[in-house]
Amino acid sequence: MVLLHVLARLALAQKWKLAVAHFNHQLRGRSSDADEKLVRNTAKKLKFPFVAERGNVKKWAREKKLSLEMAARELRHDFLARSAADLKFKKIALAHHADDQVELFFVRLLRGAGGDGMAGMKWLSPSSKDKNIFLARPLLDLPKATLAAYAKEQRIAFREDATNAQIEIQRNHLRHELLPWLAKEFQPALSRVILRQMEIVGAEAEFVTDAARAWLKATRRRAFSKLPPALQRRSVQLQLIELGLTANFDLIEQLRERANGPVTISPKVAVSREPSGNIQVKQFKPQTFVHEETKVRLRGKAGKIAFKNIVVNWVATPSLLGPFRLPKKEVNAEHFDADKVGIDITLRHWQPGDRFQPIGMASPVKLQDLFINGKFPRAERHRVLVGVTTAGVLFWVEGLRLAEGFKLDKNTRNQLIWRWKRLC
């Protein structure tokens, strides 16, 4: 209400055309309706056009799996952008203040944001819903206490949102618990120090962004591998954003650290970085589980198995007498306790529900989780072959380390040497 009061006083002299927009989140029943009524009556008194809309924030949060705060923000900004476009306005004035900035700094710090995120809100920035409409925040450098004092002095009616006192909401917990404690115990001038830090971080982030954009536009560029890590990260991030992809830190790092290594980000999309630094997107059909399998009997002392573009050569041999020694590590080779594996096995592809216990793990885990943790590209997972005993236990998974239950030990009498080669 302070923002509306100030803008109303400046409108005539500045020849501004103003309208008032209010979104009712319907989170506080009659109290939410009373908020809307106050804004509506104030706009009428000031003779400004008034638009309002209501949204079921709780339902939207459930459907989109968002927090109430994020769901409310999404619906509110969508309404504001649409209203501005309908009224042919190019700017939306928001009442964010300095205290909001400090709270946002800590919210984003705890979420692991980068420099641009830690810089906080801008005085002027494009709407996330419509890039042709800008969000203006004229009160951004003023603390809430100053605005409250102004409201009291000018007798401006306003309403306090009761949800601001609910500690279970993260931002409120920061506001009422963490920030006062930090100010009391560590830094009395906490807000001033944080706002200064945000200014420094923001300026440095802006510099890196400008440098990354210049590098991306250059016809003759310095080698990507020679760029400072900060510039590598930002150039990858900017390209992902331009492609409409979510640029989270893990994805940026995977692309930055490895060229020509596809990273699957959805069932239909994978991205990779060329050595030049350019990001490429590959779309493909979703992979489905393959249910083919073959039964194998490990007869004799050696044999050969060919199945689905993989050739396995195996050798069964007694363990050497004397002190127990682990065999030399080989690429695409494993040594199993042959008696634990048994004579009859099955070779097949990974299936839903498969569990595997790699050496060193206390119990079996979902094979899918091991693939995700090992950063196996999604498109490659369905090609992976596994070896299964007659008891249904996986003793071998192509590309993963040895199974705990089938490793060699001092009690091993016979070993199975298992070497494989993928033909394509």
Side-chain angles (χ1 to χ4, degrees):
M1 299 305 290
V2 168
L3 175 63
L4 179 55
H5 184 273
V6 171
L7 292 177
R9 293 185 63 175
L10 295 172
L12 184 60
Q14 300 295 328
K15 297 181 180 180
W16 289 340
K17 178 184 175 183
L18 298 179
V20 180
H22 179 82
F23 186 77
N24 187 334
H25 301 93
Q26 300 187 99
L27 291 173
R28 296 180 290 115
R30 292 181 180 178
S31 185
S32 292
D33 296 340
D35 293 346
E36 181 180 336
K37 183 178 180 181
L38 172 62
V39 180
R40 183 187 300 273
N41 291 339
T42 303
K44 183 178 180 180
K45 182 179 179 181
L46 294 171
K47 298 180 180 179
F48 292 146
F50 177 78
V51 291
E53 186 172 287
R54 298 184 173 206
N56 192 331
V57 174
K58 290 183 179 179
K59 181 181 178 182
W60 187 256
R62 285 195 304 270
E63 290 178 353
K64 300 298 181 180
K65 297 181 180 180
L66 300 170
S67 66
L68 277 180
E69 183 180 9
M70 290 303 297
R73 183 183 186 279
E74 187 170 300
L75 290 176
R76 181 173 64 250
H77 277 272
D78 181 69
F79 159 70
L80 291 173
R82 285 188 286 105
S83 299
D86 291 343
L87 294 167
K88 294 182 170 44
F89 280 34
K90 294 296 184 182
K91 289 187 177 66
I92 301 169
L94 303 175
H96 294 115
H97 47 72
D99 291 40
D100 293 326
Q101 280 282 63
V102 174
E103 292 167 11
L104 183 61
F105 175 86
F106 283 94
V107 168
R108 290 183 173 175
L109 174 67
L110 296 174
R111 290 177 183 170
D116 49 347
M118 301 290 286
M121 295 174 283
K122 309 295 184 185
W123 285 74
L124 191 67
S125 60
S127 166
S128 60
K129 301 297 182 179
D130 188 337
K131 300 303 180 184
N132 296 315
I133 295 172
F134 286 81
L135 307 178
R137 302 176 178 88
L139 307 180
L140 205 52
D141 65 341
L142 297 174
K144 184 178 180 180
T146 299
L147 301 178
Y150 180 83
K152 182 178 181 180
E153 177 187 321
Q154 298 295 321
R155 298 182 179 179
I156 300 172
F158 66 92
R159 290 178 55 80
E160 187 70 36
D161 188 341
T163 60
N164 288 337
Q166 295 176 359
I167 299 298
E168 60 270 19
I169 298 175
Q170 184 193 51
R171 185 181 285 268
N172 294 343
H173 193 67
L174 288 169
R175 179 184 303 147
H176 299 296
E177 302 276 341
L178 179 61
L179 299 185
W181 178 75
L182 289 174
K184 178 182 178 182
E185 299 292 334
F186 296 98
Q187 177 54 267
L190 181 69
S191 293
R192 179 169 58 83
V193 169
I194 295 300
L195 290 171
R196 183 180 64 198
Q197 193 68 21
M198 293 175 79
E199 175 67 25
I200 294 171
V201 172
E204 292 176 351
E206 187 175 342
F207 174 81
V208 174
T209 298
D210 290 343
R213 286 194 175 122
W215 182 82
L216 288 168
K217 290 179 181 178
T219 53
R220 297 183 64 183
R221 304 191 307 202
R222 184 181 177 187
F224 182 87
S225 60
K226 301 296 184 182
L227 297 177
L231 203 51
Q232 291 178 345
R233 290 189 179 105
R234 191 55 54 88
S235 66
V236 171
Q237 180 190 41
L238 290 174
Q239 291 181 81
L240 291 173
I241 293 172
E242 183 68 23
L243 292 166
L245 303 174
T246 302
N248 61 62
F249 180 79
D250 289 338
L251 175 58
I252 292 171
E253 286 300 278
Q254 289 181 67
L255 294 172
R256 184 181 74 85
E257 293 175 349
R258 185 178 63 167
N260 297 326
V263 180
T264 304
I265 59 176
S266 77
K268 296 182 180 180
V269 179
V271 292
S272 61
R273 177 183 64 80
E274 296 177 343
S276 64
N278 295 331
I279 302 299
Q280 299 295 326
V281 178
K282 179 181 179 181
Q283 297 191 358
F284 44 79
K285 294 181 179 179
Q287 298 293 311
T288 57
F289 286 99
V290 181
H291 296 282
E292 295 176 86
E293 62 178 44
T294 184
K295 304 289 185 180
V296 179
R297 173 158 286 192
L298 304 177
R299 288 177 172 174
K301 295 183 178 180
K304 183 177 181 180
I305 309 164
F307 179 67
K308 303 305 292 183
N309 299 320
I310 280 189
V311 174
V312 177
N313 290 280
W314 58 270
V315 176
T317 178
S319 289
L320 297 175
L321 299 177
F324 173 70
R325 290 184 297 178
L326 287 173
K328 283 186 177 182
K329 185 66 178 175
E330 298 179 64
V331 177
N332 290 353
E334 293 292 359
H335 293 244
F336 301 105
D337 186 310
D339 297 321
K340 293 177 182 177
V341 173
I343 296 176
D344 295 307
I345 65 168
T346 299
L347 287 182
R348 62 169 172 80
H349 291 275
W350 161 54
Q351 298 296 330
D354 276 345
R355 302 179 74 85
F356 183 65
Q357 185 180 0
I359 190 168
M361 279 197 172
S363 59
V365 296
K366 287 183 179 180
L367 196 49
Q368 180 176 354
D369 293 340
L370 292 174
F371 287 150
I372 292 173
N373 293 337
K375 295 182 171 55
F376 275 60
R378 186 188 295 268
E380 299 295 322
R381 297 174 196 170
H382 297 276
R383 302 175 66 224
V384 171
L385 289 191
V386 301
V388 189
T389 68
T390 54
V393 180
L394 273 63
F395 69 89
W396 170 68
V397 176
E398 179 192 359
L400 292 182
R401 61 186 186 269
L402 180 68
E404 172 68 27
F406 301 88
K407 66 184 180 182
L408 305 178
D409 58 33
K410 62 183 180 181
N411 296 316
T412 298
R413 294 293 174 262
N414 299 289
Q415 64 174 308
L416 175 66
I417 304 173
W418 186 269
R419 298 184 177 93
W420 68 94
K421 181 179 180 181
R422 180 170 284 278
L423 303 179
C424 64

